Amino acid sequence: MRRWLSSLVNRAVLLVVIVVVLTALLIALAGALLSRLELEQQAVTQVETIAQLVAGELDDKLSQRLNALSHVAESLTMSEAAFEMRAKILMRRQTALQHLFDGLYLIDAKGKVIAENPEALNMIGTDVSNRSYFRLSSEQLTPLTSEPYRSHYQDRAAVMVAAPVFDHRKRFIGMLGGAIALAGEHLIEEFSDIRIGKTGYLAIVTRDGMVLANGRTGEVMQSISDPNPLLKDAMDGFEGTARTRSSEDENIILSVQQMSEVPWFVAAVWPASEAYAPATRIKDAFLWILLVVMLLFVPVAMWRFRRLMAPLVELGQQVRERHLGVRNTPVGVTGSSEISQVADIFNMVMDERDDVLSSLAEREAFFRSLTRGAPIGIVQADVLGRIEFVNPVFENIIGLKQAELSNTHLFDWVSDDDREMVIQDWRQALDKQEIFRGRYQLQGPNAGTPVWCQVMAAILETPEKVMGTVTVVRDITHELEVEEALRDEQLRAESILGVMQDGVLMVDTCGVIRYANQAAAHFLGADGEYVGKNVFELVGIDHENQALSHEWFLDRDDLDSLYVTLRNISGDLFDVNLSMIHIRQGRQNERLVFVLRDDAERRRKEERLSWEASHDSLTQLLNRRAFTASLTKCLSDMPAQDARSVLMLIDLDHFKPVNDEGGHLLGDDLLRRLSELFKDSVRQTDTVARLGGDEFGIILPACGVDRANTLAEYIRAGVEALEIEHEGRMFGVTASIGVTELHPTDREPEDVVARADEGAYAAKSQGRNRVVVIPAPEQ
């Protein structure tokens, strides 16, 4: 197959065949899809129409029989005794009903059959009172059609159309019933034999899942066995048409139509394979026609393409002769314009190739004369890496002359330690057509110490092919010695900076980190991944609520002891004393050096002093000054609050005897425990303060006086229950509590405090250990 496809003629024929076949298949597929869609729509309409017609016809038949039976039952109005005596006579008169039912019955009020037609049924005397149709008709006193049941006569499947019979006083005296056999000719049999196409059929099913007729299997009075979800939906009242799968996993079109006279439904089924059979036949015929056309087309196309490609074969032979030098004249053949154009292009390329070769020879001579005076080593090698030319500088590096180096491989002069790595890197660079760069040791056969050289090689190529490589070699031994000395100095400086407690950070004018010691890494929140990143992307620096940017530092001279807040990418905050100096300011390679000293201890001391200024040292509660500030703020927030804020003043009763008899240490311990009780009793948003020796204040924002009064009683009870044992005695106090609401008319904290204090005073005057609420003044 590969050799056959090597022919351009065969490829062209194959391509045409593939295009034709694909086009035909696409047309056939589109036609089949369109035909299938049209057939599907017609099939759905046909199945749905049949289901509707059958359901309507069944409803008409049942309605006709129910109306006829009801009409006859209404004409039988008489006494119960006359009804039972004349039952057989009355039954013989119902000639018209005999053509509508398989059996007619007159049943008395107790459910006993008293007359029948035909008499061969032998049902007289049978008790049917347990039948559902008798119970429903006698209870509802209306005509009805029963659910399917097994009759006493030969155990046949049937339905009963029943109508109650009344006497002249509208009292129920019996029932007239008409039985219809499901396998008989009066109702279902003629519909179950209906066919949709060749294999489509009808089924009549009750909503309870009982199959009354099945045109495919002939089932009667069998529970439905098909697990199709559409049939399950039909049992819940669904009607409609859809494509689905049968219990045999066959694609079918199923239409469900609900009946109105009885809780049954008609299911029309048509296999999809039969419904779409015309489209399948058209597709098969089209494929056979396509096969015949291809069998006739391929030989003709092969013959014609070979005639067209004959000049191209002759052109190929002339090109081969010109390439081998057998032919000196330009190539040329007769044929199509495209083949002539190929011949002209080949002749032009050959002429240009000769000119390029001549020019290349001249340039090579110029190159060799130029490189002899170059200050670096230059090596020219062929595509295999064999040396063709070296200049005097490379001869001095290796210690050999041009004649000794010719035809040796450049890799032969690389030291043994570096040779394997050089070969690997060289091959990767050539495969990727990249410039080869590296630092390696070169060593001649007579040299002692290897020479460190920086090597760079590039491919020497023409548009037609790769000619070889040109390698530039520079002796960098002295440079490496200088770099080593500088590296030692840098390591020494980094060691000194590394042990410093202060962070040292050096960045360029763009903010990129060039160096950072270990202490600086702590501030940056990074672990060795910060060099080369922008410091202002890693941290934010704030001073007096102002973010300091990169440009801000560039515009400043050297800074000394600037107190700032630093936030790193990990979210850590540091209080820092920052210093900055410029290196080579305004010149090339300008650098900024930051010195960062942790200033958290000083700020902690300031925060401690601030806390001590606003808190009571014994109880850790707010002091009077902080309490007054909090009350002032609460007064200003009142317009935005839905509920009133409340102030509670607590004055301890009998605290002096605790100090006098138990000592000040016991009194202090009691105050601390009471403070914990107050804090645990209120919300986190509430304010608890110690205003004096045994006086406390609580601010309850948006609390309301009712809740505050309840809370005050809870606190009073807690104070009363708190006792401390000391030297065999129990010590405790009670609390007199004054409560008042904050009112919009209150302007100063002293006004509210005075009202609450008035409540506490009233509590003491009323016998102590109680809560007194002082109402707020009206507007």
Side-chain angles (χ1 to χ4, degrees), residues 435-724:
I435 295 176
F436 171 76
R437 293 183 175 89
R439 289 184 175 185
Y440 306 106
Q441 298 180 79
L442 302 182
Q443 185 174 21
N446 302 323
T449 304
V451 178
W452 277 99
C453 296
Q454 186 173 21
V455 180
M456 182 174 65
I459 298 175
L460 181 63
E461 59 182 345
T462 65
E464 288 85 7
K465 65 178 181 178
V466 176
M467 306 296 293
T469 60
V470 174
T471 304
V472 176
V473 180
R474 186 167 64 89
D475 185 353
I476 60 171
T477 303
H478 179 67
E479 294 180 10
L480 293 179
E481 293 174 352
V482 175
E483 288 181 2
E484 184 68 21
L486 291 175
R487 193 177 300 111
D488 292 341
E489 292 297 327
Q490 183 177 358
L491 289 175
R492 187 178 297 108
E494 290 179 356
S495 299
I496 295 172
L497 293 174
V499 299
M500 291 180 60
Q501 297 297 321
D502 296 341
V504 179
L505 191 69
M506 181 171 66
V507 302
D508 59 19
T509 53
C510 296
V512 177
I513 300 174
R514 298 302 181 183
Y515 171 79
N517 66 352
Q518 190 62 35
H522 171 68
F523 289 108
L524 296 175
D527 186 14
E529 300 295 334
Y530 43 79
V531 175
K533 296 184 179 180
N534 193 303
V535 66
F536 293 97
E537 294 177 358
L538 298 178
V539 300
I541 302 175
D542 296 329
H543 174 64
E544 296 181 353
N545 297 326
Q546 175 188 359
L548 305 185
S549 64
H550 172 219
E551 291 77 11
W552 189 91
F553 287 103
L554 284 177
D555 294 340
R556 297 295 185 280
D557 292 331
D558 294 348
L559 298 173
D560 184 24
S561 297
L562 180 68
Y563 294 105
V564 299
T565 300
L566 184 144
R567 181 191 298 273
N568 60 27
I569 55 176
S570 300
D572 300 326
L573 283 174
F574 298 96
D575 296 323
V576 174
N577 185 345
L578 181 144
S579 300
M580 182 197 71
I581 59 173
H582 287 267
I583 299 178
R584 294 190 297 274
Q585 186 173 10
R587 293 180 292 169
Q588 188 178 6
N589 295 328
E590 180 182 353
R591 296 288 187 265
L592 300 178
V593 177
F594 295 93
V595 179
L596 309 174
R597 179 176 295 113
D598 193 343
D599 197 39
E601 184 61 31
R602 181 186 64 83
R603 297 207 179 187
R604 280 195 294 269
K605 291 181 180 179
E606 292 180 353
E607 292 174 355
R608 180 62 183 176
L609 292 174
S610 176
W611 186 90
E612 291 177 350
S614 60
H615 288 73
D616 176 59
S617 59
L618 174 63
T619 62
Q620 310 298 309
L621 299 177
L622 294 178
N623 58 20
R624 179 177 290 275
R625 183 172 62 181
F627 174 82
T628 303
S630 179
L631 183 57
T632 302
K633 182 178 183 303
C634 192
L635 287 171
S636 63
D637 293 341
M638 280 190 58
Q641 294 176 347
D642 297 332
R644 294 280 182 87
S645 298
V646 176
L647 172 62
M648 183 189 306
L649 286 185
I650 303 172
D651 197 349
L652 301 182
D653 305 324
H654 312 298
F655 181 71
K656 188 175 184 303
V658 175
N659 270 339
D660 294 342
E661 299 174 15
H664 289 286
L665 293 179
L666 179 64
D668 292 345
D669 186 23
L670 179 61
L671 289 176
R672 283 191 290 267
R673 295 193 186 191
L674 290 172
S675 299
E676 292 298 325
L677 170 65
F678 299 154
K679 288 191 292 185
D680 293 341
S681 301
V682 300
R683 302 168 297 182
Q684 291 184 350
T685 56
D686 299 337
T687 300
V688 182
R690 183 185 180 194
L691 306 181
D694 57 355
E695 186 179 4
F696 296 85
I698 299 178
I699 302 174
L700 305 170
C703 176
V705 71
D706 293 335
R707 290 175 56 191
N709 188 28
T710 302
L711 176 62
E713 286 291 344
Y714 174 80
I715 291 174
R716 182 201 62 74
V719 173
E720 183 180 9
L722 180 62
E723 292 184 336
I724 301 177

Side-chain angles (χ1 to χ4, degrees), residues 204-217:
I204 302 173
V205 187
T206 69
R207 291 191 186 176
D208 293 335
M210 185 70 67
V211 178
L212 304 183
N214 190 319
R216 180 173 63 87
T217 62

Side-chain angles (χ1 to χ4, degrees), residues 352-368 380 388 460-468 470:
E352 292 178 353
R353 174 178 174 271
D354 294 339
D355 294 339
V356 169
L357 290 176
S358 176
S359 175
L360 185 60
E362 294 176 358
R363 293 183 180 182
E364 182 178 359
F366 175 75
F367 166 74
R368 295 195 176 191
Q380 180 183 344
E388 294 179 344
L460 181 63
E461 59 182 345
T462 65
E464 288 85 7
K465 65 178 181 178
V466 176
M467 306 296 293
V470 174

Side-chain angles (χ1 to χ4, degrees), residues 259-560:
M259 296 177 59
S260 58
E261 292 295 326
V262 288
W264 305 348
F265 62 88
V266 176
V269 181
W270 195 7
S273 57
E274 181 182 343
Y276 307 148
T280 304
R281 291 194 294 271
I282 293 173
K283 178 190 69 176
D284 295 341
F286 182 85
L287 293 177
W288 280 109
I289 294 172
L290 178 62
L291 178 61
V292 173
V293 171
M294 287 296 100
L295 292 176
L296 296 176
F297 171 77
V298 170
V300 175
M302 292 285 290
W303 172 79
R304 183 56 184 164
F305 272 104
R306 291 190 184 278
R307 290 288 304 273
L308 293 173
M309 298 300 293
L312 189 59
V313 176
E314 182 181 355
L315 176 62
Q317 182 62 31
Q318 292 182 12
V319 169
R320 176 182 174 84
E321 294 174 354
R322 179 70 186 274
H323 177 70
L324 296 176
V326 178
R327 183 187 182 92
N328 296 323
T329 59
V331 300
V333 294
T334 59
S336 64
S337 59
E338 290 83 0
I339 297 177
S340 299
Q341 185 178 6
V342 171
D344 294 339
I345 292 174
F346 177 77
N347 291 327
M348 180 178 65
V349 169
M350 290 299 294
D351 293 339
E352 292 178 353
R353 174 178 174 271
D354 294 339
D355 294 339
V356 169
L357 290 176
S358 176
S359 175
L360 185 60
E362 294 176 358
R363 293 183 180 182
E364 182 178 359
F366 175 75
F367 166 74
R368 295 195 176 191
S369 63
L370 182 62
T371 55
R372 291 188 177 276
I376 57 177
I378 298 177
V379 182
Q380 180 183 344
D382 61 14
V383 291
L384 299 177
R386 293 173 298 191
I387 296 176
E388 294 179 344
F389 169 78
V390 297
N391 69 342
V393 175
F394 187 78
E395 291 177 344
N396 294 333
I397 293 174
I398 302 301
L400 296 176
K401 296 297 182 181
Q402 165 82 42
E404 299 173 294
L405 293 172
S406 295
N407 294 324
T408 63
H409 205 288
L410 180 59
F411 300 147
D412 296 340
W413 312 114
V414 179
S415 67
D416 295 338
D417 296 336
D418 297 338
R419 184 176 296 125
E420 185 176 351
M421 181 174 58
V422 171
I423 294 173
Q424 182 180 356
D425 294 345
W426 178 283
R427 288 176 178 172
Q428 290 180 357
L430 292 182
D431 291 341
K432 297 179 181 179
Q433 294 186 343
E434 297 176 347
I435 295 176
F436 171 76
R437 293 183 175 89
R439 289 184 175 185
Y440 306 106
Q441 298 180 79
L442 302 182
Q443 185 174 21
N446 302 323
T449 304
V451 178
W452 277 99
C453 296
Q454 186 173 21
V455 180
M456 182 174 65
I459 298 175
L460 181 63
E461 59 182 345
T462 65
E464 288 85 7
K465 65 178 181 178
V466 176
M467 306 296 293
T469 60
V470 174
T471 304
V472 176
V473 180
R474 186 167 64 89
D475 185 353
I476 60 171
T477 303
H478 179 67
E479 294 180 10
L480 293 179
E481 293 174 352
V482 175
E483 288 181 2
E484 184 68 21
L486 291 175
R487 193 177 300 111
D488 292 341
E489 292 297 327
Q490 183 177 358
L491 289 175
R492 187 178 297 108
E494 290 179 356
S495 299
I496 295 172
L497 293 174
V499 299
M500 291 180 60
Q501 297 297 321
D502 296 341
V504 179
L505 191 69
M506 181 171 66
V507 302
D508 59 19
T509 53
C510 296
V512 177
I513 300 174
R514 298 302 181 183
Y515 171 79
N517 66 352
Q518 190 62 35
H522 171 68
F523 289 108
L524 296 175
D527 186 14
E529 300 295 334
Y530 43 79
V531 175
K533 296 184 179 180
N534 193 303
V535 66
F536 293 97
E537 294 177 358
L538 298 178
V539 300
I541 302 175
D542 296 329
H543 174 64
E544 296 181 353
N545 297 326
Q546 175 188 359
L548 305 185
S549 64
H550 172 219
E551 291 77 11
W552 189 91
F553 287 103
L554 284 177
D555 294 340
R556 297 295 185 280
D557 292 331
D558 294 348
L559 298 173
D560 184 24

Side-chain angles (χ1 to χ4, degrees), residues 61-321:
K61 284 180 175 292
L62 289 173
S63 177
Q64 176 188 4
R65 283 159 172 73
L66 184 63
N67 292 335
L69 199 71
S70 299
H71 180 72
V72 171
E74 291 174 357
S75 67
L76 299 180
T77 303
M78 61 188 68
S79 66
E80 184 174 0
F83 177 72
E84 294 177 355
M85 292 176 58
R86 300 177 59 190
K88 293 183 178 181
I89 299 174
L90 294 174
M91 181 58 67
R92 295 191 190 102
R93 294 177 181 177
Q94 308 308 321
T95 307
L97 294 180
Q98 296 174 9
H99 301 288
L100 299 178
F101 298 95
D102 293 302
L104 291 172
Y105 305 95
L106 281 175
I107 304 169
D108 63 15
K110 296 179 180 179
K112 184 177 180 181
V113 178
I114 57 178
E116 64 180 1
N117 192 331
E119 297 179 354
L121 296 175
N122 296 323
M123 294 291 291
I124 295 177
T126 303
D127 185 5
V128 296
S129 59
N130 61 338
R131 294 289 191 181
S132 62
Y133 61 81
F134 180 81
R135 292 198 308 271
L136 292 175
S137 181
S138 60
E139 292 173 359
Q140 299 177 2
L141 301 179
T142 57
L144 56 84
T145 301
S146 75
E147 291 290 329
Y149 65 94
R150 290 285 180 181
S151 69
H152 293 289
Y153 178 72
Q154 298 180 355
D155 198 31
R156 299 175 65 182
V159 294
M160 178 70 74
V161 179
V165 179
F166 304 98
D167 60 9
H168 295 287
R169 291 181 296 176
K170 297 300 179 181
R171 185 172 60 87
F172 177 75
I173 62 173
M175 186 186 76
L176 174 62
I180 305 174
L182 295 182
E185 61 183 5
H186 288 287
L187 184 64
I188 296 178
E189 183 177 12
E190 61 178 294
F191 298 111
S192 62
D193 293 337
I194 295 175
R195 288 288 178 268
I196 306 174
K198 293 181 179 181
T199 59
Y201 61 91
L202 292 174
I204 302 173
V205 187
T206 69
R207 291 191 186 176
D208 293 335
M210 185 70 67
V211 178
L212 304 183
N214 190 319
R216 180 173 63 87
T217 62
E219 292 179 347
V220 176
M221 287 290 288
Q222 297 291 330
S223 296
I224 189 169
S225 60
D226 194 340
N228 192 294
L230 201 63
L231 292 178
K232 293 181 179 180
D233 293 340
M235 293 166 62
D236 294 330
F238 165 81
E239 66 176 10
T241 306
R243 286 188 57 185
T244 182
R245 303 191 74 84
S246 67
S247 58
E248 291 81 12
D249 200 30
E250 178 186 15
N251 265 326
I252 59 172
I253 300 174
L254 175 62
S255 181
V256 174
Q257 185 66 35
Q258 299 288 341
M259 296 177 59
S260 58
E261 292 295 326
V262 288
W264 305 348
F265 62 88
V266 176
V269 181
W270 195 7
S273 57
E274 181 182 343
Y276 307 148
T280 304
R281 291 194 294 271
I282 293 173
K283 178 190 69 176
D284 295 341
F286 182 85
L287 293 177
W288 280 109
I289 294 172
L290 178 62
L291 178 61
V292 173
V293 171
M294 287 296 100
L295 292 176
L296 296 176
F297 171 77
V298 170
V300 175
M302 292 285 290
W303 172 79
R304 183 56 184 164
F305 272 104
R306 291 190 184 278
R307 290 288 304 273
L308 293 173
M309 298 300 293
L312 189 59
V313 176
E314 182 181 355
L315 176 62
Q317 182 62 31
Q318 292 182 12
V319 169
R320 176 182 174 84
E321 294 174 354

